[in-house]
């Protein structure tokens, strides 16, 4: 259990660092936009790495691939860790760097996400929705398919994306409102929150203690307070002007 305690502490520490980086984003953006975006991206990726470290030491106790939230975090971490593709650039990177927003002047984007405890998520971190499918859906003939994953597992994950996380509802909404696939983004912060809640609750029930200041600070919210309802998708159209 001590190894799992260390992994929980590492994840909680990375979560705190992300929050601090998030709060500093606006200040730093006015000084050095590239540094602000890169800092936030690296902080989010550090959370994914820490989540994967916890997965490594607890996968014999928890089936991470039986739920969409935990399964997609593993997919996301592996995709970003290996970087053998051009997928999963954050909204900030797409829009804020290299005058990206200028290439989309006049275009409208559909930002989708989920409430946390029936309220809008306080933190937002967006990836293109289509990138998840380009990583696992063979029917799209994507050059960036996850080849290390079995075809049966990719098919299972597509079902979890569509059903557990209601990505199919988002795709249908985007199609009916005529949004191009590359103009639909998903806020992954609620997915991260839900996945961490699931794992922290399970480990706590198995008797694993939360050791260290950061782990203690996140223990109660992520084991007894926070909740995400994926059936309630929140949509936010955003036009670049």
């Amino acid at each position: 259990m001590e190894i799992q305690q260390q992994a929980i502490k590492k994840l909680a520490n990375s979560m705190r660092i992300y929050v601090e980086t998030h709060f500093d984003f606006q200040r730093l953006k006015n000084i050095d936009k590239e540094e602000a975006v890169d800092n936030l991206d690296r902080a989010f990726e550090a959370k994914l790495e820490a989540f994967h470290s916890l997965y490594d030491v607890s996968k014999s106790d928890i089936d991470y691939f039986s739920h969409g939230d935990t399964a997609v975090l593993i997919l996301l971490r592996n995709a970003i860790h290996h970087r053998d593709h051009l997928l999963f650039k954050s909204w900030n990177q797409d829009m804020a760097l290299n005058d990206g927003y200028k290439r989309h002047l006049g275009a409208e984007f559909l930002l989708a996400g989920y409430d946390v405890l029936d309220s809008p998520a306080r933190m937002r971190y967006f990836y293109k929705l289509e990138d998840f499918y380009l990583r696992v859906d063979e029917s799209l003939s994507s050059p960036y398919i996850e080849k290390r994953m079995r075809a049966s597992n990719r098919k299972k994950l597509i079902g979890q994306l569509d059903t557990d996380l209601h990505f199919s509802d988002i795709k249908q909404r985007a199609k009916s409102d005529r949004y191009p696939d590359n103009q639909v983004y998903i806020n992954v912060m609620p997915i991260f929150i839900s996945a961490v809640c699931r794992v922290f609750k399970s480990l706590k029930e198995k008797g694993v203690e939360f050791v260290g200041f950061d782990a203690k600070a996140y223990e109660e919210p992520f084991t007894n307070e926070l909740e995400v309802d994926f059936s309630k998708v929140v949509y936010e159209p955003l036009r670049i002007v």
Side-chain angles (χ1 to χ4, degrees):
M1 285 190 179
E2 184 178 351
I3 293 175
Q4 293 178 345
Q5 289 172 353
Q6 291 176 352
I8 290 174
K9 182 178 180 181
K10 176 183 177 181
L11 177 54
N13 180 251
S14 71
M15 290 160 65
R16 173 182 58 78
I17 292 172
Y18 178 84
V19 171
E20 293 172 351
T21 306
H22 172 83
F23 285 150
D24 193 47
F25 179 81
Q26 291 298 330
R27 179 198 66 82
L28 186 57
K29 187 178 71 171
N30 295 326
I31 301 171
D32 189 326
K33 187 183 299 183
E34 182 175 1
E35 183 177 349
V37 171
D38 286 346
N39 283 359
L40 195 64
D41 284 355
R42 299 298 86 74
F44 184 77
E45 291 166 11
K47 292 202 305 180
L48 294 177
E49 286 293 337
F51 184 84
H52 195 275
S53 293
L54 183 55
Y55 156 76
D56 280 337
V57 299
S58 62
K59 58 187 175 183
S60 61
D61 298 317
I62 301 172
D63 184 359
Y64 282 75
F65 299 102
S66 63
H67 301 280
D69 50 8
T70 47
V72 81
L73 280 200
I74 299 299
L75 169 74
L76 194 53
R77 177 270 173 186
N78 287 343
I80 291 173
H81 178 80
H82 293 293
R83 275 295 180 203
D84 53 351
H85 53 82
L86 297 175
L87 306 176
F88 300 114
K89 293 181 180 178
S90 69
W91 166 270
N92 288 330
Q93 187 177 150
D94 276 343
M95 297 298 158
L97 301 186
N98 301 317
D99 292 327
Y101 73 95
K102 292 183 178 179
R103 296 193 299 272
H104 300 286
L105 285 175
E108 184 172 284
F109 291 79
L110 183 64
L111 308 182
Y114 317 91
D115 284 349
V116 179
L117 286 177
D118 295 322
S119 298
R122 294 182 179 181
M123 291 192 177
R124 290 138 55 94
Y125 192 90
F126 291 94
Y127 286 121
K128 286 179 184 175
L129 185 72
E130 71 169 350
D131 285 4
F132 293 91
Y133 291 95
L134 289 172
R135 193 62 175 166
V136 295
D137 190 346
E138 292 183 24
S139 70
L140 299 178
S141 300
S142 168
Y144 305 131
I145 198 79
E146 173 55 276
K147 297 179 181 178
R148 285 171 289 270
M149 184 182 295
R150 294 180 180 177
S152 59
N153 290 337
R154 288 197 296 266
K155 184 177 181 179
K156 176 184 177 181
L157 184 52
I158 292 171
Q160 291 173 321
L161 292 174
D162 286 342
T163 304
D164 291 5
L165 304 184
H166 290 260
F167 279 14
S168 60
D169 294 342
I170 301 173
K171 289 193 296 181
Q172 183 58 44
R173 172 65 176 268
K175 183 179 180 180
S176 65
D177 290 350
R178 299 184 179 181
Y179 285 96
D181 290 343
N182 64 358
Q183 290 175 208
V184 183
Y185 283 73
I186 181 75
N187 181 14
V188 296
M189 287 303 298
I191 300 174
F192 181 89
I193 290 170
S194 178
V196 174
C197 284
R198 186 181 304 281
V199 175
F200 277 12
K201 286 177 184 177
S202 180
L203 292 175
K204 186 173 182 178
E205 289 171 357
K206 295 178 185 300
V208 179
E209 295 184 14
F210 287 61
V211 179
F213 180 84
D214 289 335
K216 284 291 186 183
Y218 286 110
E219 178 181 2
E220 182 64 13
F222 281 83
T223 61
N224 196 41
E225 295 177 5
L226 295 174
E227 186 176 358
V228 179
D229 185 351
F230 291 112
S231 69
K232 298 178 181 178
V233 183
V234 181
Y235 298 99
E236 179 187 351
L238 177 64
R239 186 172 295 279
I240 305 298
V241 295

